[in-house]
Amino acid sequence: MNILIIGSGGREHTFAWKLKQSPKCGNLFVAPGNAGTEQIATNLAIDVTDFKGIEKACIEHKINLVIVGPEAPLVAGIVNYFEATDSIKHIPIIGPDKVGAQLEGSKDFSKNFMQKYGVPTAASRTFTEAELEEGLTYLETQSLPIVLKADGLAAGKGVIIAEDMATAKRTLKEMLADKLFGEASAKVVVEQFLKGIEASVFVLTDGEHYVILPEAKDYKRIGDNDTGPNTGGMGAVSPVPFADATFIKKVEDRVIIPTINGLKKEGIVYKGFIFIGLMSDNGEPWVIEYNARMGDPETEVVFPRIQNDIVDLFVATAENKLNEIKLSIDPRTATTVMLVAGGYPGDYSKGQEITKLEDVADVTIFHAGTKNTGGKIVTNGGRVIAVTGFGNSIPEALAKSNKAASTIQWEGKNYRRDIGLDLMK
């Protein structure tokens, strides 16, 4: 099969790495890709939302299967574009359509969906700029801390936890009246704060059947011990010790089954990933959010643990045959450590040469924000390289990841050294 992956991050490099292991994968293309995907596939210089360019590439390269990595093209309706375009509508595409992608694209949509179908989630209300005064009054009736979420996509930055009432009110005004996140905060969801410990559960569904992929926990804050500002993710671990079979069964019964059934009742044909961000409060799962795609950097620990031929998994999704797939999972622990540019998540420079990549051993390197410039691999984003190690325990896996992270060099490199260690307490 000729396969096209849409995207350019660590998630897409992981997909490419896994697909390349299949004898069923013929020519592999990534649009636009990075310096890592370039080593195992053909990069195509096409933006993820350039649907016309993607259509042209699919015809030219005789593509048989398309896998969409990031959320932006899904929310923009890439699946609908394929379905409406005669030249490519025969090509299976893994990802939900525009309405299904609203599970991630609109916090208001997803909260209403959860409430309608009985999925356990925090109590909330949504406000527009015209309802600002009402929103400020509502805040006064709520306990602290309180969570404010931009309704639309804000590149992982649209959630603010306010510890005091003055901050909550100021933030609501900034989001609605001052357009803190642009159009993404034209509506703001004000949500009760959930306490507990976070984990992510990933589902691949063909719209009727589903498989539950390995769970993971990611680490959003820039500094060790969860200090400093939020980022797109500084690392991840899988499996998650507290997410045992009993917990996952609760997630399946209370979250996954109602979600799949709800999508069907809404008439949404959903073929793709559902990322379920959860809070475990004394072993009881509560949904923080849905995403309409795999997480990053969670993909870098989840997919290396899947031992199945990944082409089989995607083809079964396209053909409504996921009920015929039995997942085989590596029981070992995987940790990934994300190496980021100096200054990230604030201002950072690009174009720093990355060295010593060839000096690391016993790990898998996944490129995120990299590009090849004149034969040199240079930084091209805030999150640059993910390093995944395996071990029989979190410390064993992390020691491998951290050793590789310390070996790889570029000016200003930064990374966390404590990924997963909180789960050992």
Coordinates of all heavy atoms in Angstrom, one line a residue, residues 256-333:
I256 N -16.1 5.2 27.4 CA -15.9 4.8 26.0 C -17.2 4.3 25.3 O -17.5 4.8 24.3 CB -14.8 3.7 25.9 CG1 -13.4 4.2 26.3 CG2 -14.7 3.1 24.4 CD1 -12.3 3.2 26.5
I257 N -17.9 3.4 26.0 CA -19.1 2.9 25.4 C -20.2 4.0 25.2 O -20.7 4.1 24.1 CB -19.7 1.7 26.2 CG1 -18.7 0.5 26.0 CG2 -21.1 1.3 25.8 CD1 -18.9 -0.7 26.9
P258 N -20.4 4.8 26.3 CA -21.4 5.9 26.0 C -20.9 6.9 24.9 O -21.8 7.5 24.2 CB -21.4 6.6 27.4 CG -21.0 5.6 28.4 CD -20.0 4.7 27.7
T259 N -19.6 7.1 24.8 CA -19.1 8.0 23.8 C -19.4 7.4 22.4 O -19.9 8.1 21.5 CB -17.6 8.3 24.0 OG1 -17.4 8.9 25.2 CG2 -17.0 9.2 22.9
I260 N -19.0 6.2 22.2 CA -19.2 5.6 20.8 C -20.7 5.5 20.5 O -21.1 5.8 19.4 CB -18.6 4.1 20.8 CG1 -17.1 4.1 21.1 CG2 -18.9 3.5 19.5 CD1 -16.2 4.6 20.1
N261 N -21.5 5.1 21.5 CA -23.0 5.1 21.3 C -23.6 6.4 21.0 O -24.4 6.6 20.2 CB -23.7 4.4 22.5 CG -23.4 2.9 22.6 OD1 -23.0 2.3 21.6 ND2 -23.6 2.3 23.7
G262 N -23.0 7.5 21.7 CA -23.5 8.8 21.5 C -23.2 9.3 20.1 O -24.0 10.0 19.5
L263 N -22.0 9.0 19.7 CA -21.6 9.4 18.3 C -22.6 8.8 17.3 O -23.0 9.5 16.3 CB -20.2 9.0 18.0 CG -19.1 9.9 18.7 CD1 -17.7 9.2 18.6 CD2 -19.0 11.3 18.2
K264 N -22.9 7.5 17.5 CA -23.8 6.8 16.6 C -25.2 7.5 16.6 O -25.8 7.7 15.6 CB -23.9 5.3 16.9 CG -22.7 4.5 16.5 CD -22.9 3.0 16.5 CE -22.8 2.5 17.9 NZ -22.7 1.0 17.9
K265 N -25.7 7.8 17.8 CA -27.0 8.4 18.0 C -27.1 9.8 17.3 O -28.1 10.2 16.8 CB -27.4 8.5 19.5 CG -27.8 7.1 20.0 CD -28.2 7.2 21.5 CE -28.5 5.9 22.1 NZ -28.3 5.8 23.5
E266 N -25.9 10.5 17.3 CA -25.9 11.8 16.7 C -25.7 11.7 15.2 O -25.7 12.7 14.5 CB -24.7 12.6 17.3 CG -24.8 12.9 18.7 CD -25.9 14.0 19.0 OE1 -26.1 14.9 18.2 OE2 -26.6 13.8 20.1
G267 N -25.6 10.4 14.7 CA -25.4 10.2 13.2 C -24.0 10.6 12.8 O -23.8 10.9 11.6
I268 N -23.0 10.6 13.7 CA -21.6 11.0 13.3 C -20.9 9.7 13.0 O -20.7 8.8 13.9 CB -21.0 11.7 14.5 CG1 -21.7 13.1 14.8 CG2 -19.5 12.0 14.2 CD1 -21.3 13.8 16.1
V269 N -20.4 9.5 11.8 CA -19.6 8.4 11.4 C -18.1 8.7 11.8 O -17.5 9.5 11.1 CB -19.7 8.0 9.9 CG1 -18.8 6.8 9.6 CG2 -21.2 7.8 9.6
Y270 N -17.7 8.1 12.9 CA -16.4 8.5 13.4 C -15.4 7.3 13.2 O -15.5 6.3 13.8 CB -16.5 8.8 14.9 CG -15.4 9.5 15.5 CD1 -15.5 10.8 16.0 CD2 -14.1 8.9 15.7 CE1 -14.4 11.5 16.6 CE2 -13.1 9.6 16.3 CZ -13.2 10.9 16.7 OH -12.2 11.6 17.3
K271 N -14.4 7.6 12.3 CA -13.4 6.6 12.0 C -12.0 7.2 12.4 O -11.5 8.0 11.6 CB -13.3 6.2 10.6 CG -14.5 5.3 10.1 CD -14.4 5.0 8.6 CE -15.5 4.2 8.1 NZ -15.5 2.8 8.5
G272 N -11.5 6.8 13.5 CA -10.2 7.4 13.9 C -10.0 7.3 15.4 O -10.6 6.5 16.1
F273 N -9.1 8.1 15.9 CA -8.7 8.1 17.3 C -9.6 9.0 18.2 O -10.0 10.1 17.7 CB -7.3 8.6 17.5 CG -6.2 7.7 16.8 CD1 -5.6 8.1 15.6 CD2 -5.8 6.5 17.3 CE1 -4.7 7.4 15.0 CE2 -4.9 5.7 16.7 CZ -4.3 6.1 15.5
I274 N -9.9 8.5 19.4 CA -10.4 9.4 20.4 C -9.5 9.3 21.6 O -9.2 8.3 22.1 CB -11.8 8.9 20.9 CG1 -12.8 8.8 19.7 CG2 -12.4 9.9 21.9 CD1 -14.2 8.2 20.0
F275 N -9.0 10.5 21.9 CA -8.0 10.7 23.0 C -8.9 11.1 24.2 O -9.6 12.1 24.1 CB -7.0 11.7 22.6 CG -6.2 12.4 23.6 CD1 -4.8 12.5 23.4 CD2 -6.7 12.9 24.8 CE1 -4.0 13.1 24.3 CE2 -5.9 13.5 25.8 CZ -4.5 13.6 25.5
I276 N -8.9 10.4 25.3 CA -9.7 10.8 26.4 C -8.8 11.2 27.6 O -8.1 10.4 28.1 CB -10.6 9.6 26.9 CG1 -11.5 9.1 25.7 CG2 -11.5 9.9 28.1 CD1 -12.1 7.7 25.9
G277 N -8.8 12.5 27.9 CA -8.0 13.0 29.0 C -8.8 12.8 30.2 O -9.9 13.4 30.4
L278 N -8.3 12.1 31.2 CA -9.0 11.7 32.4 C -8.4 12.2 33.7 O -7.2 12.5 33.7 CB -9.0 10.2 32.5 CG -9.8 9.4 31.4 CD1 -9.4 8.0 31.4 CD2 -11.3 9.5 31.7
M279 N -9.2 12.4 34.7 CA -8.7 12.6 36.0 C -9.2 11.4 36.9 O -10.4 11.1 36.8 CB -9.3 13.9 36.6 CG -8.7 14.3 37.9 SD -7.0 14.8 37.8 CE -7.1 16.5 37.1
S280 N -8.3 10.8 37.6 CA -8.7 9.7 38.5 C -8.8 10.3 39.9 O -7.8 10.8 40.5 CB -7.6 8.6 38.5 OG -7.9 7.6 39.5
D281 N -10.0 10.3 40.4 CA -10.2 10.8 41.8 C -10.6 9.6 42.6 O -11.7 9.1 42.6 CB -11.4 11.8 41.8 CG -11.6 12.5 43.1 OD1 -10.9 12.1 44.1 OD2 -12.6 13.3 43.3
N282 N -9.6 9.1 43.4 CA -9.8 7.9 44.2 C -10.3 6.7 43.4 O -11.2 6.0 43.8 CB -10.8 8.2 45.4 CG -10.2 9.1 46.4 OD1 -9.0 9.0 46.8 ND2 -11.0 10.1 46.9
G283 N -9.7 6.6 42.2 CA -10.0 5.5 41.4 C -11.2 5.6 40.5 O -11.6 4.7 39.8
E284 N -11.9 6.8 40.6 CA -13.1 7.0 39.8 C -12.7 8.0 38.6 O -12.1 9.0 38.8 CB -14.2 7.7 40.6 CG -14.6 6.9 41.8 CD -15.1 5.5 41.5 OE1 -15.9 5.4 40.5 OE2 -14.7 4.5 42.1
P285 N -13.0 7.6 37.4 CA -12.6 8.4 36.2 C -13.6 9.5 35.9 O -14.8 9.3 35.9 CB -12.6 7.3 35.1 CG -13.6 6.3 35.5 CD -13.6 6.3 37.0
W286 N -13.0 10.7 35.7 CA -13.7 11.9 35.2 C -13.1 12.4 33.9 O -11.8 12.4 33.9 CB -13.7 13.0 36.3 CG -14.5 12.6 37.5 CD1 -14.0 11.8 38.5 CD2 -15.8 12.9 37.8 NE1 -15.0 11.6 39.5 CE2 -16.1 12.3 39.1 CE3 -16.8 13.7 37.2 CZ2 -17.3 12.5 39.7 CZ3 -18.0 13.9 37.8 CH2 -18.3 13.3 39.1
V287 N -13.8 12.8 33.0 CA -13.3 13.2 31.7 C -13.0 14.7 31.7 O -13.9 15.5 32.0 CB -14.2 12.9 30.5 CG1 -13.6 13.4 29.2 CG2 -14.4 11.4 30.4
I288 N -11.7 15.1 31.5 CA -11.3 16.5 31.4 C -11.6 17.0 30.0 O -12.2 18.1 29.8 CB -9.8 16.7 31.7 CG1 -9.5 16.1 33.0 CG2 -9.4 18.1 31.6 CD1 -8.0 15.9 33.2
E289 N -11.3 16.2 29.0 CA -11.4 16.6 27.6 C -11.3 15.4 26.7 O -10.8 14.4 27.0 CB -10.4 17.7 27.2 CG -9.0 17.1 27.2 CD -7.9 18.1 26.8 OE1 -8.3 19.2 26.4 OE2 -6.7 17.7 26.8
Y290 N -11.9 15.6 25.5 CA -11.6 14.7 24.3 C -10.6 15.4 23.4 O -10.7 16.6 23.2 CB -12.9 14.5 23.5 CG -14.0 13.7 24.1 CD1 -15.2 14.3 24.4 CD2 -13.9 12.3 24.5 CE1 -16.3 13.6 24.9 CE2 -15.0 11.6 25.0 CZ -16.2 12.3 25.2 OH -17.3 11.6 25.7
N291 N -9.8 14.6 22.7 CA -9.1 15.1 21.5 C -9.5 14.1 20.4 O -9.8 12.9 20.6 CB -7.6 15.1 21.7 CG -7.2 16.2 22.6 OD1 -7.9 17.2 22.7 ND2 -6.0 16.1 23.2
A292 N -9.5 14.6 19.2 CA -9.9 13.8 18.0 C -8.8 13.2 17.3 O -8.9 12.8 16.1 CB -10.7 14.7 17.0
R293 N -7.7 13.0 18.0 CA -6.4 12.4 17.4 C -5.6 11.9 18.5 O -5.9 12.0 19.7 CB -5.7 13.5 16.6 CG -5.7 14.9 17.1 CD -4.8 15.1 18.3 NE -5.0 16.3 19.0 CZ -4.3 16.7 20.1 NH1 -3.2 16.1 20.4 NH2 -4.6 17.8 20.7
M294 N -4.5 11.2 18.1 CA -3.5 10.7 19.1 C -2.8 11.9 19.8 O -2.6 13.0 19.2 CB -2.5 9.8 18.5 CG -3.0 8.4 18.3 SD -3.5 7.5 19.8 CE -1.9 7.4 20.7
G295 N -2.4 11.7 21.0 CA -1.6 12.8 21.7 C -0.2 12.8 21.3 O 0.3 11.8 20.8
D296 N 0.5 13.9 21.6 CA 1.9 14.0 21.3 C 2.5 14.8 22.5 O 2.1 15.9 22.8 CB 2.1 14.8 20.0 CG 3.6 14.8 19.5 OD1 4.4 14.3 20.3 OD2 3.8 15.2 18.4
P297 N 3.3 14.1 23.4 CA 4.2 13.0 23.1 C 3.7 11.6 23.5 O 4.5 10.7 23.5 CB 5.4 13.4 24.0 CG 4.8 14.0 25.2 CD 3.6 14.8 24.7
E298 N 2.4 11.4 23.8 CA 2.0 10.1 24.2 C 2.1 9.0 23.1 O 2.4 7.9 23.4 CB 0.5 10.1 24.7 CG 0.2 11.0 25.9 CD -0.3 12.4 25.6 OE1 0.1 12.9 24.5 OE2 -1.0 12.9 26.3
T299 N 1.9 9.5 21.9 CA 2.1 8.5 20.8 C 3.5 7.8 20.8 O 3.6 6.6 20.5 CB 1.9 9.2 19.4 OG1 0.7 9.8 19.4 CG2 2.0 8.2 18.3
E300 N 4.5 8.6 21.3 CA 5.9 8.1 21.3 C 6.1 7.0 22.4 O 7.1 6.3 22.3 CB 6.9 9.2 21.5 CG 7.0 10.2 20.3 CD 6.0 11.3 20.3 OE1 4.8 11.1 20.6 OE2 6.5 12.5 20.1
V301 N 5.1 6.8 23.3 CA 5.2 5.7 24.2 C 4.1 4.6 23.9 O 4.3 3.4 24.2 CB 5.2 6.1 25.7 CG1 6.4 6.8 26.1 CG2 3.9 6.9 26.0
V302 N 3.0 5.1 23.4 CA 1.9 4.1 23.1 C 2.2 3.3 21.9 O 2.1 2.0 22.0 CB 0.6 4.9 22.9 CG1 -0.5 4.0 22.4 CG2 0.2 5.6 24.2
F303 N 2.6 3.8 20.8 CA 2.8 3.1 19.6 C 4.0 2.1 19.6 O 3.9 1.0 19.1 CB 2.8 4.0 18.3 CG 1.5 4.1 17.7 CD1 0.5 4.8 18.4 CD2 1.2 3.6 16.4 CE1 -0.8 4.9 17.8 CE2 -0.1 3.8 15.9 CZ -1.1 4.4 16.6
P304 N 5.1 2.5 20.3 CA 6.2 1.5 20.4 C 5.7 0.2 21.2 O 6.3 -0.8 21.0 CB 7.3 2.2 21.1 CG 7.1 3.7 20.7 CD 5.6 3.8 20.7
R305 N 4.7 0.3 22.0 CA 4.3 -0.8 22.8 C 3.3 -1.7 22.1 O 3.1 -2.9 22.5 CB 3.6 -0.4 24.1 CG 4.6 0.3 25.1 CD 3.9 0.6 26.5 NE 3.5 -0.7 27.1 CZ 2.3 -0.8 27.8 NH1 1.5 0.2 27.9 NH2 2.0 -2.0 28.3
I306 N 2.7 -1.2 21.0 CA 1.8 -2.0 20.1 C 2.6 -2.9 19.3 O 3.5 -2.5 18.5 CB 0.9 -1.1 19.3 CG1 0.0 -0.2 20.2 CG2 0.0 -2.0 18.4 CD1 -0.8 0.9 19.4
Q307 N 2.4 -4.3 19.4 CA 3.2 -5.2 18.6 C 2.5 -5.7 17.3 O 3.1 -6.4 16.5 CB 3.5 -6.4 19.5 CG 4.4 -6.0 20.7 CD 4.6 -7.1 21.7 OE1 3.7 -7.9 22.0 NE2 5.8 -7.2 22.3
N308 N 1.2 -5.3 17.1 CA 0.5 -5.6 15.9 C 1.1 -4.9 14.7 O 1.8 -3.9 14.8 CB -0.9 -5.2 16.0 CG -1.7 -5.8 17.1 OD1 -1.3 -5.6 18.3 ND2 -2.7 -6.6 16.8
D309 N 0.9 -5.5 13.5 CA 1.1 -4.8 12.2 C 0.2 -3.6 12.2 O -1.1 -3.8 12.1 CB 0.9 -5.8 11.0 CG 1.3 -5.1 9.7 OD1 1.0 -3.9 9.5 OD2 1.8 -5.8 8.8
I310 N 0.7 -2.4 12.2 CA -0.2 -1.2 12.3 C -1.0 -1.0 11.0 O -2.1 -0.4 11.1 CB 0.7 0.0 12.7 CG1 -0.1 0.8 13.7 CG2 1.1 0.8 11.5 CD1 -0.1 0.2 15.1
V311 N -0.5 -1.5 9.9 CA -1.3 -1.4 8.7 C -2.6 -2.1 8.8 O -3.7 -1.6 8.4 CB -0.5 -1.8 7.4 CG1 -1.4 -1.8 6.2 CG2 0.7 -0.9 7.2
D312 N -2.5 -3.3 9.4 CA -3.8 -4.1 9.7 C -4.8 -3.3 10.5 O -6.0 -3.4 10.3 CB -3.4 -5.4 10.4 CG -2.6 -6.4 9.5 OD1 -2.7 -6.2 8.3 OD2 -2.0 -7.3 10.1
L313 N -4.2 -2.6 11.5 CA -5.1 -1.9 12.4 C -5.8 -0.7 11.6 O -7.0 -0.6 11.8 CB -4.2 -1.3 13.5 CG -4.8 -1.0 14.9 CD1 -5.4 -2.3 15.4 CD2 -3.8 -0.5 15.8
F314 N -5.1 0.0 10.8 CA -5.7 1.1 10.0 C -6.7 0.6 9.0 O -7.7 1.2 8.7 CB -4.6 2.0 9.4 CG -3.9 2.8 10.4 CD1 -2.5 3.0 10.4 CD2 -4.6 3.5 11.4 CE1 -1.9 3.7 11.3 CE2 -4.0 4.3 12.4 CZ -2.6 4.4 12.3
V315 N -6.3 -0.5 8.3 CA -7.2 -1.1 7.3 C -8.5 -1.6 7.9 O -9.6 -1.3 7.4 CB -6.5 -2.2 6.5 CG1 -7.5 -3.0 5.6 CG2 -5.4 -1.6 5.6
A316 N -8.4 -2.2 9.1 CA -9.6 -2.7 9.8 C -10.5 -1.5 10.2 O -11.7 -1.6 10.1 CB -9.2 -3.5 11.0
T317 N -9.9 -0.4 10.5 CA -10.6 0.8 10.9 C -11.4 1.3 9.6 O -12.6 1.6 9.7 CB -9.7 1.9 11.4 OG1 -8.9 1.4 12.5 CG2 -10.5 3.2 11.8
A318 N -10.7 1.3 8.5 CA -11.3 1.8 7.3 C -12.5 0.9 6.8 O -13.5 1.3 6.3 CB -10.3 1.9 6.2
E319 N -12.3 -0.4 7.1 CA -13.3 -1.4 6.6 C -14.3 -1.9 7.6 O -15.0 -2.8 7.4 CB -12.5 -2.6 6.1 CG -11.6 -2.3 4.8 CD -10.8 -3.5 4.3 OE1 -10.8 -4.6 5.0 OE2 -10.2 -3.4 3.2
N320 N -14.4 -1.2 8.7 CA -15.3 -1.5 9.8 C -15.1 -2.9 10.4 O -16.1 -3.6 10.7 CB -16.8 -1.4 9.3 CG -17.2 0.1 9.2 OD1 -16.6 0.8 8.5 ND2 -18.2 0.5 10.0
K321 N -13.9 -3.3 10.5 CA -13.6 -4.7 11.0 C -12.7 -4.7 12.2 O -11.9 -5.6 12.4 CB -12.9 -5.5 9.8 CG -13.8 -5.7 8.7 CD -13.0 -6.5 7.6 CE -14.0 -6.8 6.4 NZ -13.2 -7.4 5.3
L322 N -12.7 -3.6 13.0 CA -11.8 -3.6 14.2 C -12.2 -4.7 15.2 O -11.4 -5.0 16.0 CB -11.9 -2.2 14.9 CG -10.9 -1.2 14.4 CD1 -11.1 0.1 15.2 CD2 -9.5 -1.7 14.6
N323 N -13.4 -5.2 15.1 CA -13.8 -6.3 16.0 C -13.0 -7.6 15.7 O -12.9 -8.5 16.5 CB -15.3 -6.6 15.9 CG -15.7 -6.9 14.4 OD1 -15.3 -6.2 13.5 ND2 -16.5 -7.9 14.2
E324 N -12.3 -7.6 14.5 CA -11.5 -8.8 14.2 C -10.0 -8.6 14.7 O -9.2 -9.5 14.5 CB -11.5 -9.0 12.7 CG -12.9 -9.3 12.1 CD -12.9 -9.4 10.6 OE1 -11.9 -9.4 10.0 OE2 -14.1 -9.4 10.0
I325 N -9.7 -7.5 15.3 CA -8.3 -7.2 15.7 C -8.2 -7.5 17.2 O -9.0 -7.0 18.0 CB -7.9 -5.7 15.4 CG1 -7.9 -5.5 13.9 CG2 -6.6 -5.4 16.0 CD1 -6.7 -6.0 13.1
K326 N -7.2 -8.2 17.5 CA -6.8 -8.4 19.0 C -5.4 -7.8 19.1 O -4.5 -8.1 18.5 CB -6.8 -9.9 19.3 CG -6.5 -10.1 20.8 CD -6.9 -11.5 21.3 CE -6.5 -11.7 22.7 NZ -6.7 -10.7 23.7
L327 N -5.4 -6.8 20.0 CA -4.1 -6.1 20.2 C -3.1 -6.9 21.0 O -3.5 -7.6 21.9 CB -4.3 -4.8 21.0 CG -4.9 -3.6 20.2 CD1 -5.0 -2.4 21.1 CD2 -4.1 -3.3 19.0
S328 N -1.9 -6.8 20.6 CA -0.8 -7.5 21.4 C 0.1 -6.3 21.9 O 0.6 -5.5 21.1 CB 0.0 -8.4 20.4 OG 1.1 -8.9 21.1
I329 N 0.3 -6.2 23.2 CA 1.0 -5.1 23.8 C 2.2 -5.5 24.5 O 2.2 -6.5 25.3 CB 0.0 -4.4 24.8 CG1 -1.3 -4.0 24.1 CG2 0.7 -3.2 25.4 CD1 -1.2 -3.0 23.0
D330 N 3.3 -4.9 24.3 CA 4.5 -5.1 25.0 C 4.3 -4.7 26.5 O 3.9 -3.6 26.8 CB 5.7 -4.2 24.5 CG 7.0 -4.6 25.0 OD1 7.2 -4.9 26.2 OD2 8.0 -4.5 24.2
P331 N 4.5 -5.7 27.4 CA 4.2 -5.4 28.9 C 5.2 -4.5 29.5 O 5.0 -3.9 30.6 CB 4.3 -6.8 29.5 CG 5.3 -7.6 28.6 CD 5.0 -7.1 27.2
R332 N 6.4 -4.2 28.9 CA 7.4 -3.3 29.5 C 6.9 -1.9 29.5 O 6.0 -1.5 28.9 CB 8.7 -3.5 28.7 CG 9.4 -4.8 28.8 CD 10.6 -4.9 27.9 NE 10.3 -4.6 26.5 CZ 11.2 -4.2 25.6 NH1 12.5 -4.0 26.0 NH2 10.9 -4.0 24.4
T333 N 7.7 -1.1 30.3 CA 7.4 0.3 30.4 C 8.2 1.1 29.4 O 9.3 0.8 29.1 CB 7.8 0.8 31.8 OG1 6.9 0.2 32.8 CG2 7.7 2.3 32.0

